[in-house]
Amino acid sequence: MPIIKKSSYPGPPIHHFNGHFETILPSVFRKIMGVVYERERIDTPDRDFLDLDWSKVGSKRLLIISHGLEGSSERHYVTGLVKLFNQHQIDALAWNNRSCSGEMNRQQVLYHHGASHDLKAVIEHVLATEDYAEIYLAGISMGGAQTLKYLGEEGSALPQPLKKAAVYSTPCNLPDSAATLRLTKNIFYKNKFLAKLKVKMAEKAKQFPGILDESLLPNVKDFDTFDDHFTAKLHGFRDGQDFYRTVSPDNWMAEITVPTLIVNAKNDPLLIDRCYPVALARKHKLIHLEMPERGGHTGFAVKGKEFSWVEERLLEFLASK
């Protein structure tokens, strides 16, 4: 029963008063210095492209990192992992979801929590062009959902070099996580994500005239409406609820075949109920569930330390023999 009953997280700095402060302060103020990427652009099977950012130290081990909603390889929670793993002589590859690398993608789609096909394309490219003895996956928030979905979809067919995975602040059940964005206390996160995504949908509507009703965008005030009229329509789902149910990673997590760590703080403002897969972890020998009391969403800061606790925790889990 790999439920970790007592987390090793010592707790946040004293001025991180609650889950919102623990989430927002690192997002706004945390800076990781010294990470320099080498960018590679690859083609996808549907004639689109993905931008991959490499940070190599000459290792035979590689960490592949999947970022969160409206994030990129430049987010602090990505560069923190890159720098930490590089310091421990492990190469890092941070891939950018479509439209997240600074340039709009080509095709009549964007990206979403269920875009495990793009993670698969990245992994297949690495296997075809590089020679790593061990590959690890790390996913943060939405990237964690993509990672868990990919692992379950592949099941026993995972590539042999892929040894372990770890995710954190991850919506294991997408309908429940989406429900948190309807709460008044989470209006900051809702507005932040919506503002960025509405800009991208407007650009996509201009790129492909007639597929989306751009005139609706100024009146969109919540994710249910946005996902009904834009996310679902663009990606072939009936509506937002169909999208949430269809791509939710817990549809596949029982099929995971490599050791996988899930770290979700109990005070994460964007996770509730089924986002904490306790029942599955109790019976699944390879899923390790750790639920610290504190940490917020992609927070887990530690006073006086460059790296967050969860970054050190992922290193401990993934790099240990």
Side-chain angles (χ1 to χ4, degrees):
M1 299 197 311
I3 295 178
I4 298 162
K5 294 183 178 179
K6 185 173 177 57
S7 174
S8 61
Y9 181 42
I14 192 169
H15 62 286
H16 291 207
F17 301 112
N18 56 38
H20 296 294
F21 281 87
E22 292 167 56
T23 300
I24 295 168
L25 292 181
S27 179
V28 174
F29 296 108
R30 187 183 183 215
K31 308 296 179 187
I32 299 294
M33 308 303 293
V35 172
V36 178
Y37 289 126
E38 181 176 341
R39 175 156 291 187
E40 178 184 16
R41 176 165 290 186
I42 66 171
D43 294 324
T44 62
D46 63 346
R47 299 181 181 179
D48 213 331
F49 68 88
L50 295 171
D51 285 332
L52 282 51
D53 288 328
W54 291 87
S55 183
K56 293 183 177 181
V57 291
S59 177
K60 298 297 287 183
R61 297 189 289 171
L62 173 69
L63 176 70
I64 299 177
I65 306 167
S66 302
H67 65 75
L69 184 68
E70 277 306 283
S72 73
S73 61
E74 298 293 340
R75 293 293 288 142
H76 70 93
Y77 54 71
V78 175
T79 54
L81 281 174
V82 170
K83 186 172 183 178
L84 178 63
F85 275 69
N86 280 177
Q87 286 183 358
H88 287 80
Q89 298 306 304
I90 298 172
D91 286 358
L93 166 58
W95 70 283
N96 297 276
N97 276 267
R98 303 187 197 206
S99 79
C100 293
S101 61
E103 181 179 338
M104 182 55 68
N105 64 304
R106 301 184 191 119
Q107 293 298 336
Q108 193 176 302
V109 294
L110 283 173
Y111 71 95
H112 55 72
H113 286 69
S116 52
H117 52 278
D118 282 341
L119 174 56
K120 182 176 182 178
V122 171
I123 293 169
E124 290 180 346
H125 172 75
V126 169
L127 293 170
T129 59
E130 305 285 341
D131 183 27
Y132 285 103
E134 295 187 6
I135 296 174
Y136 318 119
L137 302 183
I140 302 95
S141 192
M142 179 196 73
Q146 294 171 333
T147 300
L148 294 174
K149 183 170 178 281
Y150 166 79
L151 293 171
E153 287 172 331
E154 297 300 306
S156 59
L158 277 177
Q160 188 275 332
L162 208 165
K163 303 300 184 184
K164 293 181 183 179
V167 304
Y168 72 92
S169 300
T170 291
C172 296
N173 180 271
L174 195 53
D176 279 6
S177 180
T180 67
L181 291 171
R182 302 184 193 111
L183 302 174
T184 302
K185 66 179 182 179
N186 285 340
I187 193 170
F188 170 83
Y189 313 111
K190 180 197 72 173
N191 289 343
K192 175 186 172 185
F193 289 134
L194 268 182
K196 293 182 177 181
L197 287 167
K198 285 165 73 172
V199 170
K200 286 188 176 179
M201 282 299 181
E203 187 173 346
K204 190 59 69 175
K206 289 181 173 65
Q207 190 180 13
F208 295 95
I211 65 165
L212 298 170
D213 187 352
E214 188 180 356
S215 68
L216 295 175
L217 279 172
N219 297 318
V220 171
K221 306 298 182 185
D222 58 77
F223 264 97
D224 289 329
T225 305
F226 180 84
D227 288 331
D228 281 344
H229 291 282
F230 294 94
T231 306
K233 190 164 186 178
L234 197 64
H235 298 103
F237 301 100
R238 288 194 306 274
D239 53 28
Q241 290 301 315
D242 180 49
F243 160 61
Y244 305 146
R245 289 192 301 267
T246 301
V247 307
S248 186
D250 55 1
N251 291 325
W252 292 272
M253 285 165 52
E255 307 305 317
I256 289 175
T257 58
V258 294
T260 299
L261 174 67
I262 300 171
V263 180
N264 283 346
K266 291 182 180 179
N267 72 338
D268 189 320
L270 300 179
L271 304 180
I272 55 172
D273 301 341
R274 289 175 294 175
C275 293
Y276 303 88
V278 173
L280 177 61
R282 281 177 176 156
K283 62 184 180 182
H284 198 303
K285 294 181 180 179
L286 294 174
I287 293 179
H288 302 255
L289 177 61
E290 186 162 353
M291 298 176 289
E293 296 292 332
R294 303 286 300 271
H297 191 78
T298 71
F300 302 100
V302 179
K303 182 180 179 181
K305 289 197 173 185
E306 178 179 18
F307 300 112
S308 69
W309 166 83
V310 76
E311 290 160 357
E312 298 273 8
R313 182 72 180 93
L314 264 60
L315 176 70
E316 176 189 46
F317 182 82
L318 294 172
S320 64
K321 298 296 183 182

